Amino acid sequence: MQGIVSRLIKRYEKCTDDNVSASPGSSTAISGPSTAHLGPSTDIPKQPKMSIKPFVSSTMVAEKKKIDNAVAKFFYSTNTQFNHVEHLPNRHQIAGDLLEELHAECVISAIEYLAGTNVTLSLNGWSNVHNVLIICMAANTMRRNISC
Protein backbone atom coordinates (compact mmCIF):
# COMPACT_ATOMS: atom_id res chain seq x y z
CA MET A 1 0.00 0.00 0.00
CA GLN A 2 2.83 2.38 0.83
CA GLY A 3 4.33 1.71 -2.60
CA ILE A 4 1.14 2.87 -4.30
CA VAL A 5 1.06 6.04 -2.22
CA SER A 6 4.69 6.86 -2.98
CA ARG A 7 4.11 6.29 -6.72
CA LEU A 8 1.07 8.60 -6.65
CA ILE A 9 3.08 11.29 -4.87
CA LYS A 10 5.89 11.04 -7.44
CA ARG A 11 3.37 11.19 -10.29
CA TYR A 12 1.70 14.26 -8.78
CA GLU A 13 5.06 16.02 -8.35
CA LYS A 14 6.00 15.20 -11.94
CA CYS A 15 2.67 16.57 -13.21
CA THR A 16 3.04 19.80 -11.24
CA ASP A 17 6.64 20.32 -12.45
CA ASP A 18 5.77 19.85 -16.14
CA ASN A 19 4.12 22.97 -17.47
CA VAL A 20 3.57 21.82 -21.01
CA SER A 21 2.50 24.29 -23.65
CA ALA A 22 1.43 23.43 -27.14
CA SER A 23 3.13 24.81 -30.21
CA PRO A 24 2.54 28.51 -30.85
CA GLY A 25 0.37 27.81 -33.90
CA SER A 26 -2.10 25.50 -32.15
CA SER A 27 -5.23 26.72 -30.43
CA THR A 28 -4.92 24.54 -27.33
CA ALA A 29 -2.46 25.07 -24.56
CA ILE A 30 -1.92 23.10 -21.40
CA SER A 31 -0.39 24.93 -18.49
CA GLY A 32 -0.17 23.83 -14.90
CA PRO A 33 -1.00 20.44 -13.48
CA SER A 34 -3.68 18.30 -15.05
CA THR A 35 -6.81 18.06 -12.92
CA ALA A 36 -8.57 15.48 -15.06
CA HIS A 37 -8.08 12.68 -12.53
CA LEU A 38 -7.91 14.74 -9.36
CA GLY A 39 -11.63 15.30 -8.89
CA PRO A 40 -14.31 17.80 -9.84
CA SER A 41 -13.27 21.17 -11.18
CA THR A 42 -13.75 24.16 -8.92
CA ASP A 43 -14.55 26.38 -11.92
CA ILE A 44 -18.08 24.99 -12.24
CA PRO A 45 -20.55 27.48 -10.79
CA LYS A 46 -22.49 26.13 -7.84
CA GLN A 47 -26.23 26.02 -8.17
CA PRO A 48 -28.21 27.73 -5.45
CA LYS A 49 -29.51 25.39 -2.77
CA MET A 50 -33.23 24.90 -2.99
CA SER A 51 -35.43 24.58 0.05
CA ILE A 52 -37.89 21.71 0.49
CA LYS A 53 -40.38 23.97 2.30
CA PRO A 54 -42.53 24.70 -0.79
CA PHE A 55 -43.11 20.96 -1.24
CA VAL A 56 -44.07 20.19 2.37
CA SER A 57 -47.45 20.87 3.92
CA SER A 58 -47.48 21.04 7.68
CA THR A 59 -50.25 19.62 9.83
CA MET A 60 -51.57 21.63 12.74
CA VAL A 61 -51.95 19.96 16.13
CA ALA A 62 -55.76 20.01 15.93
CA GLU A 63 -55.69 18.45 12.45
CA LYS A 64 -53.27 15.74 13.63
CA LYS A 65 -55.57 14.92 16.54
CA LYS A 66 -58.55 14.59 14.18
CA ILE A 67 -56.57 12.35 11.84
CA ASP A 68 -55.30 10.20 14.73
CA ASN A 69 -58.84 9.80 16.06
CA ALA A 70 -60.15 8.84 12.62
CA VAL A 71 -57.38 6.25 12.18
CA ALA A 72 -58.07 4.85 15.65
CA LYS A 73 -61.83 4.64 14.98
CA PHE A 74 -61.06 2.78 11.76
CA PHE A 75 -59.02 0.19 13.64
CA TYR A 76 -61.65 -0.17 16.38
CA SER A 77 -64.63 -0.43 14.00
CA THR A 78 -62.99 -2.95 11.66
CA ASN A 79 -61.45 -5.05 14.45
CA THR A 80 -58.06 -4.72 12.77
CA GLN A 81 -55.06 -5.77 14.83
CA PHE A 82 -53.10 -2.85 16.20
CA ASN A 83 -49.78 -4.29 15.03
CA HIS A 84 -50.78 -3.40 11.44
CA VAL A 85 -50.11 0.25 12.22
CA GLU A 86 -46.78 1.35 10.78
CA HIS A 87 -46.68 5.09 11.38
CA LEU A 88 -48.15 7.66 13.70
CA PRO A 89 -50.33 7.03 15.55
CA ASN A 90 -48.47 3.90 16.50
CA ARG A 91 -50.04 0.77 17.97
CA HIS A 92 -49.21 1.81 21.54
CA GLN A 93 -51.08 5.09 21.11
CA ILE A 94 -54.07 3.34 19.51
CA ALA A 95 -54.21 0.75 22.29
CA GLY A 96 -53.60 3.31 25.04
CA ASP A 97 -54.32 7.03 25.00
CA LEU A 98 -56.54 7.15 21.93
CA LEU A 99 -58.65 4.19 23.09
CA GLU A 100 -59.21 5.74 26.52
CA GLU A 101 -59.99 9.15 25.04
CA LEU A 102 -62.46 7.85 22.47
CA HIS A 103 -64.09 5.54 25.04
CA ALA A 104 -64.59 8.50 27.40
CA GLU A 105 -66.14 10.55 24.56
CA CYS A 106 -68.48 7.66 23.71
CA VAL A 107 -69.58 7.24 27.32
CA ILE A 108 -70.23 10.98 27.72
CA SER A 109 -72.26 11.14 24.49
CA ALA A 110 -74.28 8.06 25.57
CA ILE A 111 -75.02 9.56 28.99
CA GLU A 112 -76.13 12.86 27.42
CA TYR A 113 -78.30 11.11 24.88
CA LEU A 114 -79.89 8.65 27.33
CA ALA A 115 -80.62 11.12 30.11
CA GLY A 116 -84.31 10.82 31.11
CA THR A 117 -85.22 8.05 28.65
CA ASN A 118 -86.15 4.40 29.04
CA VAL A 119 -83.38 2.09 27.89
CA THR A 120 -83.21 -1.61 27.08
CA LEU A 121 -79.71 -3.02 27.59
CA SER A 122 -78.90 -6.14 25.58
CA LEU A 123 -75.87 -8.27 26.46
CA ASN A 124 -74.27 -11.09 24.54
CA GLY A 125 -71.07 -12.96 25.28
CA TRP A 126 -68.92 -15.48 23.45
CA SER A 127 -65.30 -16.45 23.01
CA ASN A 128 -63.21 -16.11 19.91
CA VAL A 129 -60.96 -18.76 18.35
CA HIS A 130 -58.29 -17.97 20.95
CA ASN A 131 -60.76 -18.50 23.84
CA VAL A 132 -60.76 -14.79 24.68
CA LEU A 133 -64.07 -13.70 26.20
CA ILE A 134 -65.93 -11.10 24.16
CA ILE A 135 -68.95 -9.23 25.50
CA CYS A 136 -71.18 -7.05 23.36
CA MET A 137 -73.52 -4.52 24.95
CA ALA A 138 -76.21 -2.63 23.06
CA ALA A 139 -78.45 0.08 24.46
CA ASN A 140 -81.77 0.51 22.65
CA THR A 141 -84.31 3.27 23.10
CA MET A 142 -87.60 4.09 21.44
CA ARG A 143 -85.93 7.06 19.72
CA ARG A 144 -82.91 5.34 18.12
CA ASN A 145 -79.97 3.10 18.87
CA ILE A 146 -76.70 4.51 20.14
CA SER A 147 -73.54 4.13 18.17
CA CYS A 148 -70.33 5.91 19.03
Side-chain angles (χ1 to χ4, degrees):
M1 183 69 164
Q2 189 168 351
I4 295 173
V5 173
S6 63
R7 279 188 288 158
L8 288 174
I9 291 173
K10 287 179 185 177
R11 178 71 179 146
Y12 177 74
E13 289 172 353
K14 182 180 177 189
C15 288
T16 57
D17 291 341
D18 294 338
N19 289 334
V20 179
S21 296
S23 62
S26 69
S27 63
T28 60
I30 301 173
S31 64
S34 172
T35 58
H37 300 289
L38 297 178
S41 174
T42 57
D43 296 338
I44 299 174
K46 294 183 180 179
Q47 294 187 4
K49 293 188 177 187
M50 296 185 65
S51 175
I52 196 168
K53 287 185 179 181
F55 304 104
V56 175
S57 62
S58 60
T59 305
M60 300 297 187
V61 175
E63 292 173 337
K64 182 188 179 313
K65 189 169 187 76
K66 288 171 93 175
I67 293 169
D68 288 349
N69 285 343
V71 169
K73 284 180 181 179
F74 167 78
F75 276 87
Y76 305 144
S77 64
T78 59
N79 291 324
T80 304
Q81 296 178 1
F82 298 156
N83 62 358
H84 291 304
V85 181
E86 293 182 7
H87 302 290
L88 292 177
N90 62 29
R91 61 188 170 104
H92 298 293
Q93 291 171 325
I94 289 179
D97 297 339
L98 290 172
L99 179 61
E100 292 175 12
E101 182 179 323
L102 291 174
H103 179 261
E105 287 177 13
C106 188
V107 168
I108 289 171
S109 68
I111 290 172
E112 290 173 354
Y113 179 77
L114 295 175
T117 61
N118 294 327
V119 177
T120 303
L121 186 61
S122 303
L123 297 170
N124 193 4
W126 64 92
S127 62
N128 64 11
V129 295
H130 302 290
N131 283 333
V132 175
L133 181 62
I134 298 172
I135 298 175
C136 178
M137 294 194 277
N140 299 309
T141 66
M142 293 301 280
R143 292 189 285 182
R144 66 179 178 135
N145 294 336
I146 297 174
S147 63
C148 296

